[in-house]
Amino acid sequence: MMKKIFLPLWLLLTVQVNAQLTQSPTPDQLWGKLFTDVQLKRVLHDNKTFVDAVPKLSPDSILNLYNRLPVKDSSSLSDFVHAYFILPEHAEVATPKQATDLKDHLQKHWNNLVRQADKKQHYNSLLPLPYPYVVPGGRFREIYYWDSYFTMLGLAASNRYDLVEHMLNNFSYLVKTYGHIPNGNRNYYLSRSQPPYFALMVQLLAQKKGSSIYRRYLPALQKEYDYWMEGEDIIKPGELYKRIMKMQDGTVLNRYFDDSTIPRQESYYEDVQTGLAYKHKDGAVYRHLRAAAESGWDFSSRWFADTFNLTSIETTNILPVDLNCLLYTYEQILATAYASQRQNSKSRQYSQRAQKRKEAINRLFWSEEKQYYFDYHTGSGTHTDRWSLAGVMPLFVQAATQQQAAAVTDHVRSRFLKPGGVVTTTYKTGEQWDAPNGWPPLQYVTVKGLTNYKHNSLADTIARRWMKINEDVYQRTGKMMEKYDVEVIGLEGGGGEYPTQDGFGWTNGVYLEFRRMFK
């Protein structure tokens, strides 16, 4: 059983004060009772709508009017919100009037998802960015961290390196300003990040423009890495702190976490309902929910104690194999970046870190019995044994042996391969990151992982099945979707807290990269 570590109160207060200096009040802080009434009564149906809204008057004026409102039922609240707030629009994408080749359409229509540099607005949850950026689409009106890597793959395939560079500049700005890259550029996302793909983004641009790119972004790379490793010098073997855990041999591994313990503001109603039905007695339900949001897999059987119920969520008790693989490749890229600047001592340091993490990945996440990679449970000290495509990530970062890669490939073929690509997990829970859904980032990670180990036939099959489902839906609807049902062709992906969204940044990106890879 891992021990939790607690920092002195004076240090926690210092961290909190410093963080508050760089952010405006979040919607719950700004609107108080009005916020909870609107969200819990589901006045706008989607809780994200209100937290993205912009007031027409000052908060004091609106709250005074609200306090005088004689009736506060859903109907009167809806009228009130529509009267005194500018509600956001979906980030819709213009669809073609006639069917055209999907590759040509996507390359011509990147600008439909581009947002120009932001202007600061008072009492707006948006964290303004200084350069243009690409949004996913639908309800996702801001930049998202891990989405952006897969979007960038398509931008690079379209030779839109101008946008790749703008987005990297925005992420560097976020690290400099807030100390990390938040989930998205909204102040209610600041307490968490998302899977750390920033180093891979830098590598993508460096492959085009050379090693000077590493020099430009090295300070941001280092600072973001430090965010994920915060506390490693003060914790002892067997202890947990924020996003890290120190094993008994001194190896530091990572987990997903969130610095806040209240319901997510953009999913307030849903989190409160989950909290009421939560099965554990540790009082950590909201941190578990938020940590799952940091993982990007919100929600999935990976994080559930009993596999099938969100009310048994325990995300922070789990060391995810994919997160640790991403940080392994992050350490490798830091070593490359320091070597490019002739900082050889630093380069060796990160090469050694990467090697130590690689050994831990193959020691702790690999199941010799099942011949697959699984997440690791910090409480039981064993694998979670949940079958998911996270187990392919060691192939993506080339941390597996040839024998391990061959075994993983067999499981991908027998367990995950479906008519429309690869399914996220083998469990049907009703959650969107489980069967029967397939997601663009996991198609790419799987295909790239397989090609890294020369399992090209299966990689080709997955990519072509995925492109076919993209093309079929596009020809029928003129849309690219956030996710797809890969088990029954023609059915829309479902599950989760909101309807399936169209747009869609990372779907476009992965499709265009597959078209480049499999001409």
Side-chain angles (χ1 to χ4, degrees), residues 68-345:
R68 296 203 298 269
L69 193 67
V71 178
K72 294 183 174 67
D73 59 15
S74 294
S75 177
S76 59
L77 276 172
S78 177
D79 291 341
F80 184 87
V81 170
H82 281 84
Y84 295 111
F85 290 85
I86 301 170
L87 300 185
E89 297 179 354
H90 269 36
E92 301 291 355
V93 178
T95 56
K97 293 181 180 179
Q98 295 181 339
T100 57
D101 179 75
L102 181 51
K103 177 182 175 182
D104 292 341
H105 170 67
L106 294 178
Q107 288 182 332
K108 291 175 183 176
H109 285 270
W110 275 119
N111 287 341
N112 290 322
L113 290 173
V114 172
R115 299 297 174 263
Q116 297 305 313
D118 299 309
K119 295 180 180 178
K120 185 172 177 59
Q121 288 181 285
H122 289 300
Y123 314 121
N124 187 345
S125 64
L126 190 71
L127 302 173
L129 296 175
Y131 297 90
Y133 54 95
V134 179
V135 301
R139 74 198 284 267
F140 302 109
R141 312 168 185 97
E142 48 282 308
I143 201 169
Y144 281 80
Y145 182 4
W146 80 310
D147 293 57
S148 295
Y149 174 67
F150 302 95
T151 299
M152 286 178 184
L153 293 173
L155 291 170
S158 305
N159 202 32
R160 290 300 306 271
Y161 285 95
D162 57 325
L163 282 171
V164 172
E165 197 159 349
H166 286 324
M167 293 170 74
L168 272 172
N169 289 340
N170 281 326
F171 286 134
S172 183
Y173 166 81
L174 287 168
V175 173
K176 180 180 179 181
T177 306
Y178 302 105
H180 67 289
I181 300 172
N183 186 150
N185 61 314
R186 294 277 177 183
N187 62 13
Y188 53 77
Y189 284 146
L190 275 170
S191 61
R192 64 178 180 269
S193 185
Q194 273 197 325
Y197 277 89
F198 182 54
L200 283 165
M201 297 177 193
V202 172
Q203 184 184 64
L204 179 67
L205 189 59
Q207 289 167 350
K208 175 69 174 179
K209 294 196 170 186
S211 62
S212 64
I213 295 300
Y214 290 123
R215 179 172 62 252
R216 185 192 310 175
Y217 296 107
L218 185 51
L221 283 167
Q222 184 65 66
K223 191 168 186 177
E224 196 213 6
Y225 179 80
D226 292 343
Y227 167 82
W228 283 95
M229 302 304 293
E230 180 185 348
E232 66 172 328
D233 294 331
I234 60 173
I235 66 171
K236 298 176 182 178
E239 292 182 334
L240 284 160
Y241 175 69
K242 287 200 172 183
R243 291 164 179 81
I244 62 170
M245 184 194 79
K246 185 170 283 189
M247 308 303 292
Q248 292 296 338
D249 68 352
T251 303
V252 177
L253 295 174
N254 292 78
R255 63 175 177 169
Y256 289 113
F257 193 73
D258 191 299
D259 296 330
S260 179
T261 57
I262 62 175
R264 292 169 298 152
Q265 295 184 46
E266 74 282 5
S267 301
Y268 195 83
Y269 174 85
E270 291 84 358
D271 281 6
V272 168
Q273 298 308 307
T274 302
L276 292 173
Y278 184 55
K279 293 183 177 180
H280 306 307
K281 301 191 183 301
D282 57 5
V285 59
Y286 299 131
R287 179 154 280 158
H288 291 317
L289 291 167
R290 285 172 163 272
E294 182 171 81
S295 80
W297 292 49
D298 45 338
F299 293 100
S300 167
S301 52
R302 288 181 71 188
W303 316 127
F304 304 163
D306 69 359
T307 306
F308 292 99
N309 292 292
L310 178 62
T311 53
S312 69
I313 193 166
E314 55 169 355
T315 318
T316 66
N317 297 334
I318 294 166
L319 300 182
V321 58
D322 48 354
L323 171 61
N324 283 282
C325 286
L326 282 173
L327 286 165
Y328 161 68
T329 205
Y330 207 123
E331 289 160 346
Q332 288 183 308
I333 292 169
L334 275 170
T336 299
Y338 278 115
S340 74
Q341 306 312 308
R342 299 183 180 179
Q343 297 188 44
N344 296 330
S345 177

